[in-house]
Amino acid sequence: MTLTPLKLTIINLVVMLGVATVFYLSGIQDITLLLMLLPVLVVGELARQWNKANQRKYNALQSELIQTRSEVTSIRQSVNQDALTGLHSLSFIKERLTKRLAVSKSRHSKCAVLYIDLDFFKEINDALGHELGNQLLVSVGHRLKGLVKKDDLLGYIRGDEFIVILQEIADPMAAELVARRIQNSMSQPFEIVDHSLTVSTSIGISIGLNDGVEGDDLIQKAERAVIQSKANGRKSYTFYSQALNLVAKERLKIDQNLRGALQRGEFRIVYQVIVDEKSRSVKGFEALIRWHNAELGEVSPAEFIPVAEQIGLITEIGTWVMRESLLQLQQWQGRYGKALLMSVNVSPRQFQDESILPAVKTILKQAGIASSALQIEVTEGLFLSASDNVMSTVEALKSAGVKLALDDFGTGYSSLSYLNTLPFDVLKIDKCFVDGMHTSESDLNMIKSIISIAHGLKMVTVVEGVETAQQAHMLRELGADSIQGFYYSKPLSAKEAEMRFLAKDSITSLDESIWDNL
């Protein structure tokens, strides 16, 4: 029998009346106090029993909610995660891709879809059985996890198909690099039970927002590109865009020929003079790398430097440029007794892999020149997401006496905040402002403002890309400290630069009188 709160209260009331009766029969006549308290006790007991019942109901409801929440979580997990591989499901990938495309639209950025198909998986599955085939799929998924960044997405579609979403890429060729990394990794055998299995992949690539603005559309186009990869003989990757396929083909040639180019002696350094406009004297040179390959001919740095960064050769190449140029500087200083400066471009990768600081120390010691004779040029991209280690390296270089120049200022995500906080010595103004300064008032005012800001922060300005006498004159009037460009000279070999600028006592100056008639 279940005792309800009302039944329990009646029982307690009967007990209390019994107690009162006992008091009366025992000769205790004054039970007024007990009778006065009796209603209070009854109400209190009723409330207590009511609370107990409600607490039981609350506990039961809470238990049901916890169980329901667990079931919902389990259902959601089963929808978002593949049971076999543990990777994201296709439905989850589509949901996230839709959100990513919305962000790409607002930021004007790009993302990529890589549709991955295992070549000849059906033959392996039929020959060795579904259980072993499933183990291979799990192993492939595990290996793919190690090839994508934590911010990117990896999912399992069905059968022998996987998908990767690169959530933000600066260049479509970044997707090509990931595709090659996947194919190289898959060439390593998988040890499954007693079998050593090697699989290859066919990969299709679509680029958002270039190839489409909807998630389903991009996935379908990447799948179509996979079909083309298989038609091309499998074990390959194909962009949905034919134009990008041509770019990827050329990029692959650069990649293949870039490997070993340093050992084959295919690189050379040219030097472009930097002129101090106040003294009209040579301040120093910027060292610029050039590459000539037997198959490709002359390859622009704009083409091969990004590839060198992507395939991990930039540190080796950058270190070589610094060593050769500083050894050349040491010869010039010894021969002419001039305090010259050598400006060397350094890739953000050399800061990120922490190779730049030991390289600078070693090379300065080998060359036997002062640290103040070295100027390192970096771009704004280094500081957009710089780690503490990168910032520590910058501070260490500055403390050692190395000059720090911010290159191409105004062409990227320029921020006045890091100009004020970072120890730059030099601000280099990009050629794009110089080209339009005599026709565009906004370009002229931009240069004027940059020079003013730099001087206010105790920085020296160098204006790049100066090609005409008119530009040189205007920049002097604006207070530019130094000029660099074809107006004085194109980049020259070491011998040519020496004969033109060091073997002479001075630089031919511009005859200012011609401007009196303008």
Side-chain angles (χ1 to χ4, degrees):
M1 179 179 69
T2 303
L3 295 178
T4 65
L6 181 58
K7 290 178 180 179
L8 287 169
T9 300
I10 293 172
I11 292 171
N12 284 329
L13 181 57
V14 170
V15 171
M16 289 178 184
L17 288 173
V19 171
T21 303
V22 171
F23 268 78
Y24 181 77
L25 295 176
S26 300
I28 302 174
Q29 301 297 321
D30 190 6
I31 59 172
T32 304
L33 181 59
L34 179 61
L35 293 176
M36 289 175 64
L37 292 174
L38 186 59
V40 178
L41 294 173
V42 170
V43 172
E45 181 61 24
L46 181 60
R48 191 172 69 83
Q49 295 301 331
W50 182 269
N51 286 338
K52 277 188 177 181
N54 282 345
Q55 185 64 42
R56 284 195 295 272
K57 289 180 181 179
Y58 173 78
N59 290 341
L61 180 60
Q62 188 179 43
S63 178
E64 290 178 10
L65 286 173
I66 292 172
Q67 183 176 356
T68 302
R69 189 179 299 145
S70 177
E71 291 172 355
V72 169
T73 301
S74 179
I75 292 171
R76 184 182 292 125
Q77 188 174 9
S78 66
V79 172
N80 294 340
Q81 189 178 61
D82 174 65
L84 173 64
T85 62
L87 303 179
H88 294 308
S89 65
L90 182 58
S91 61
F92 178 80
I93 290 289
K94 287 182 176 180
E95 177 185 334
R96 292 292 297 274
L97 179 57
T98 298
K99 293 179 180 178
R100 181 65 243 178
L101 286 168
V103 173
S104 295
K105 290 176 189 176
S106 65
R107 294 182 179 176
H108 304 289
S109 60
K110 294 180 177 64
C111 61
V113 176
L114 278 68
Y115 201 106
I116 305 166
D117 187 288
L118 302 184
D119 298 329
F120 304 110
F121 176 78
K122 183 178 182 299
E123 286 74 6
I124 295 175
N125 212 28
D126 291 344
L128 302 177
H130 294 294
E131 184 176 345
L132 191 142
N134 285 344
Q135 291 183 47
L136 177 58
L137 290 174
V138 172
S139 297
V140 168
H142 181 73
R143 187 173 292 183
L144 287 172
K145 279 184 181 179
L147 300 175
V148 298
K149 296 179 180 178
K150 64 177 183 178
D151 293 333
D152 296 327
L153 297 172
L154 170 63
Y156 176 69
I157 301 175
R158 58 183 171 268
D160 57 358
E161 297 171 340
F162 296 80
I163 188 169
V164 171
I165 307 296
L166 305 180
Q167 298 213 70
E168 186 163 3
I169 55 174
D171 179 349
M173 291 302 105
E176 182 241 10
L177 181 67
V178 174
R180 279 198 277 132
R181 189 186 302 148
I182 290 172
Q183 290 192 323
N184 291 336
S185 177
M186 290 300 137
S187 65
Q188 302 301 315
F190 291 90
E191 303 300 328
I192 310 292
V193 191
D194 296 326
H195 301 274
S196 182
L197 304 176
T198 301
V199 296
S200 61
T201 58
S202 295
I203 303 174
I205 307 170
S206 62
I207 305 296
L209 305 162
N210 293 14
D211 298 326
V213 296
E214 301 295 334
D216 284 339
D217 186 34
L218 281 176
I219 293 174
Q220 289 171 9
K221 288 177 176 176
E223 186 175 11
R224 287 180 215 164
V226 166
I227 296 172
Q228 187 59 48
S229 289
K230 288 182 174 294
N232 292 340
R234 303 175 189 261
K235 198 178 181 181
S236 64
Y237 54 86
T238 304
F239 282 92
Y240 176 77
S241 165
Q242 291 307 307
L244 287 179
N245 281 325
L246 294 176
V247 173
K249 186 177 180 180
E250 292 303 312
R251 183 72 69 99
L252 182 59
K253 287 182 181 179
I254 291 175
D255 179 332
Q256 292 171 339
N257 285 279
L258 198 55
R259 299 176 190 273
L262 187 59
Q263 289 72 24
R264 294 190 299 268
E266 295 178 356
F267 294 121
R268 71 184 190 281
I269 300 175
V270 292
Y271 301 89
Q272 187 167 43
V273 68
I274 303 171
V275 177
D276 185 301
E277 286 303 302
K278 293 179 181 178
S279 63
R280 300 294 180 88
S281 61
V282 174
K283 183 175 183 178
F285 297 87
E286 179 178 355
L288 301 167
I289 189 171
R290 296 292 184 263
W291 179 32
H292 182 84
N293 177 262
E295 178 184 348
L296 302 176
E298 200 73 24
V299 186
S300 166
E303 293 182 83
F304 74 80
I305 292 297
V307 178
E309 289 180 325
Q310 290 177 346
I311 64 177
L313 292 179
I314 194 63
T315 294
E316 183 182 10
I317 294 173
T319 301
W320 176 82
V321 171
M322 184 177 292
R323 180 181 297 109
E324 294 299 307
S325 61
L326 289 184
L327 288 173
Q328 180 63 64
L329 180 64
Q330 187 270 339
Q331 291 181 22
W332 285 339
Q333 287 182 338
R335 191 172 298 159
Y336 297 101
K338 296 182 178 180
L340 299 170
L341 180 79
M342 186 62 71
S343 194
V344 180
N345 293 277
V346 174
S347 166
R349 294 292 177 93
Q350 293 173 261
F351 281 88
Q352 292 159 1
D353 66 15
E354 301 182 14
S355 64
I356 184 63
L357 189 58
V360 166
K361 290 180 178 179
T362 300
I363 294 170
L364 285 175
K365 186 175 181 180
Q366 289 175 345
I369 60 176
S371 57
S372 58
L374 171 62
Q375 177 173 287
I376 288 179
E377 295 191 21
V378 296
T379 58
E380 300 167 41
L382 175 64
F383 304 103
L384 291 179
S385 57
S387 65
D388 291 340
N389 288 340
V390 168
M391 300 310 298
S392 296
T393 299
V394 170
E395 293 289 349
L397 288 169
K398 178 64 178 177
S399 298
V402 175
K403 289 182 171 58
L404 188 65
L406 181 59
D407 197 14
D408 300 335
F409 182 75
T411 61
Y413 301 94
S414 304
S415 172
L416 296 179
S417 63
Y418 60 65
L419 279 184
N420 191 40
T421 56
L422 295 173
F424 292 113
D425 299 286
V426 178
L427 202 59
K428 301 196 75 173
I429 301 173
D430 190 71
K431 180 182 186 295
C432 66
F433 298 112
V434 177
D435 290 340
M437 65 181 295
H438 61 286
T439 58
S440 169
E441 186 176 354
S442 61
D443 282 349
L444 182 63
N445 288 333
M446 180 66 75
I447 292 178
K448 186 187 301 184
S449 298
I450 294 174
I451 291 174
S452 176
I453 291 170
H455 288 169
L457 295 172
K458 309 300 182 189
M459 297 180 193
V460 173
T461 56
V462 176
V463 185
E464 299 179 293
V466 180
E467 298 181 350
T468 69
Q470 183 182 12
Q471 291 172 344
H473 173 76
M474 294 176 71
L475 289 167
R476 291 192 194 100
E477 293 295 311
L478 292 175
D481 298 299
S482 298
I483 283 178
Q484 178 181 347
F486 281 21
Y487 171 64
Y488 282 116
S489 174
K490 66 179 182 179
L492 302 171
S493 68
K495 184 176 181 180
E496 291 171 326
E498 180 177 349
M499 294 303 296
R500 182 164 182 177
F501 295 107
L502 300 178
K504 296 180 179 180
D505 293 332
S506 63
I507 295 176
T508 303
S509 61
L510 179 67
D511 183 0
E512 298 291 341
S513 64
I514 67 174
W515 299 107
D516 296 337
N517 300 320
L518 292 181

